[in-house]
């Protein structure tokens, strides 16, 4: 039988552990009950005829809070992971303001970057809730941070995307979606249906997608433990984007199953 041994110099600080656990609980609680900061619309789109928009930020909670806005450029690396950096292309006013319960503020957002010629530019506007501290009051405060995608489109748009490949890993099936168009795509859902040699369905997996920016590819993972690997003969893979669905059918060789399950 194996036993765990402490690593020298790695003794756990009880106070730090307690703080970490409290932070986790706060995040869980906040995700369940947070209803203060709200934004509309959920995304902003600019083109050659329009480079400004109005964003409404409202307070759906029971306490006054302040909001701070920041803009970042938004790109993706070779694997489709999001990358952000400060930018001056996006302007907005006001930057910091307060909202009473049940009230809302209107923010004007504009684009002042270079003209977009061949491929869209993408950004994100972050709205950070700043709880208002009251003198003499000590209590836990929850802060919400919301992100609004901003798309600046070229004059001519084209959409071209497909399933670029699939690969079994120890964690499940990795699905690569490629965007060869000059504007973003938003992958809505990815569904995997496994079948045995007689065609009977063994299981179905569903995962939510995400944006794949223009000219990029992104890997989506469908977690699967692989208990039915020895029975799996084929699978159908469906990737949906809006009203479009790409479907691929694959046979499964014994060696395709994740190594950790055989």
């Amino acid at each position: 039988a194996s036993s765990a041994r402490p690593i020298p110099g790695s003794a756990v600080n009880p106070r730090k552990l307690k703080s970490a656990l409290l932070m986790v609980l706060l995040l869980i609680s906040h995700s369940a009950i947070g209803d203060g900061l709200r934004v509309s619309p959920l995304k902003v789109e600019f083109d050659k005829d329009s480079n400004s928009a109005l964003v409404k930020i409202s307070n759906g909670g029971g306490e006054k809070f302040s909001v701070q806005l920041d803009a970042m450029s938004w790109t993706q690396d070779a694997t489709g992971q999001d990358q952000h950096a400060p930018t001056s292309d996006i302007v907005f006013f006001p930057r910091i303001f307060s909202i009473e319960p049940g009230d809302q503020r209107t923010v004007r957002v504009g684009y002042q970057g270079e003209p977009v010629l061949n491929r869209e530019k993408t950004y994100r506007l972050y709205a950070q809730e700043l709880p208002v501290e009251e003198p003499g009051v000590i209590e836990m405060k929850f802060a919400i941070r919301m992100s609004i995608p901003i798309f600046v489109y070229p004059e001519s748009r084209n959409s071209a995307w497909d399933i670029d490949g699939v690969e079994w890993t120890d964690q499940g099936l990795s699905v690569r979606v490629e965007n060869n168009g000059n504007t973003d795509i938003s992958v809505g859902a990815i569904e995997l249906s496994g079948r045995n040699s007689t065609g009977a369905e063994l299981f179905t997996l569903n995962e939510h997608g995400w944006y794949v920016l223009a000219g990029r590819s992104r890997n989506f993972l469908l977690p699967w433990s692989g208990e039915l690997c020895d029975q799996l003969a084929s699978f159908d893979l469906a990737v949906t984007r809006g009203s479009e669905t790409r479907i691929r059918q694959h046979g499964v060789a014994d060696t395709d199953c994740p190594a950790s399950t055989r």
Side-chain angles (χ1 to χ4, degrees), residues 118 151 211:
N118 301 317
F151 303 100
Y211 290 102

Side-chain angles (χ1 to χ4, degrees), residues 184-243:
D184 67 283
I185 65 170
S186 178
V187 176
I190 304 173
E191 182 177 282
L192 172 70
S193 297
R195 303 180 183 280
N196 63 18
S197 59
T198 66
E201 185 174 289
L202 295 173
F203 61 86
T204 299
L205 299 177
N206 293 278
E207 285 293 323
H208 294 294
W210 182 245
Y211 290 102
V212 183
L213 299 185
R216 291 298 183 183
S217 297
R218 186 179 181 91
N219 295 323
F220 297 94
L221 181 67
L222 286 86
W224 180 48
S225 59
E227 290 89 345
L228 301 175
C229 188
D230 57 341
Q231 303 178 44
L232 185 63
S234 64
F235 63 87
D236 297 334
L237 179 67
V239 178
T240 300
R241 176 240 178 172
S243 60

Side-chain angles (χ1 to χ4, degrees), residues 34-246:
D35 62 351
L37 180 64
R38 299 173 182 175
V39 299
S40 176
L42 297 179
K43 69 177 179 178
V44 173
E45 299 172 299
F46 295 142
D47 56 30
K48 66 180 183 64
D49 299 319
S50 174
N51 61 359
S52 67
L54 298 178
V55 174
K56 295 181 179 180
I57 300 180
S58 59
N59 182 352
E63 296 183 1
K64 174 183 176 180
F65 59 72
S66 295
V67 175
Q68 177 175 315
L69 301 180
D70 287 294
M72 305 284 281
S73 67
W74 172 28
T75 58
Q76 291 179 335
D77 63 18
T79 62
Q81 298 304 305
D82 293 339
Q83 307 290 315
H84 304 92
T87 183
S88 59
D89 290 353
I90 301 298
V91 292
F92 47 87
F93 181 82
R95 184 183 185 86
I96 299 179
F97 50 89
S98 297
I99 312 179
E100 298 287 346
D103 202 357
Q104 70 175 22
R105 292 290 299 272
T106 299
V107 176
R108 181 171 293 277
V109 182
Y111 174 71
Q112 64 173 13
E114 295 293 328
V116 178
L117 301 177
N118 301 317
R119 180 182 294 179
E120 76 173 0
K121 291 186 176 182
T122 46
Y123 305 86
R124 283 192 171 270
L125 181 67
Y126 288 93
Q128 172 73 56
E129 178 187 334
L130 305 174
V132 177
E133 300 293 340
E134 298 181 15
V137 177
I138 300 177
E139 59 181 354
M140 291 295 180
K141 297 288 187 179
F142 301 107
I144 302 174
R145 189 176 190 231
M146 299 191 69
S147 170
I148 307 167
I150 300 176
F151 303 100
V152 186
Y153 297 124
E155 182 173 352
S156 178
R157 309 183 204 177
N158 66 77
S159 176
W161 69 280
D162 211 337
I163 301 172
D164 188 43
V166 296
E167 180 183 4
W168 288 107
T169 71
D170 289 345
Q171 292 75 41
L173 187 70
S174 178
V175 180
R176 187 174 181 86
V177 177
E178 183 176 33
N179 180 3
N180 287 318
N182 66 354
T183 59
D184 67 283
I185 65 170
S186 178
V187 176
I190 304 173
E191 182 177 282
L192 172 70
S193 297
R195 303 180 183 280
N196 63 18
S197 59
T198 66
E201 185 174 289
L202 295 173
F203 61 86
T204 299
L205 299 177
N206 293 278
E207 285 293 323
H208 294 294
W210 182 245
Y211 290 102
V212 183
L213 299 185
R216 291 298 183 183
S217 297
R218 186 179 181 91
N219 295 323
F220 297 94
L221 181 67
L222 286 86
W224 180 48
S225 59
E227 290 89 345
L228 301 175
C229 188
D230 57 341
Q231 303 178 44
L232 185 63
S234 64
F235 63 87
D236 297 334
L237 179 67
V239 178
T240 300
R241 176 240 178 172
S243 60
E244 300 177 274
T245 299
R246 302 281 193 269

Side-chain angles (χ1 to χ4, degrees), residues 3-25:
S3 60
R5 293 181 298 172
I7 300 174
S10 65
V12 176
N13 185 317
R15 294 182 62 183
K16 290 184 178 181
L17 179 59
K18 182 178 180 180
S19 298
L21 291 175
L22 178 58
M23 180 60 69
V24 171
L25 291 175

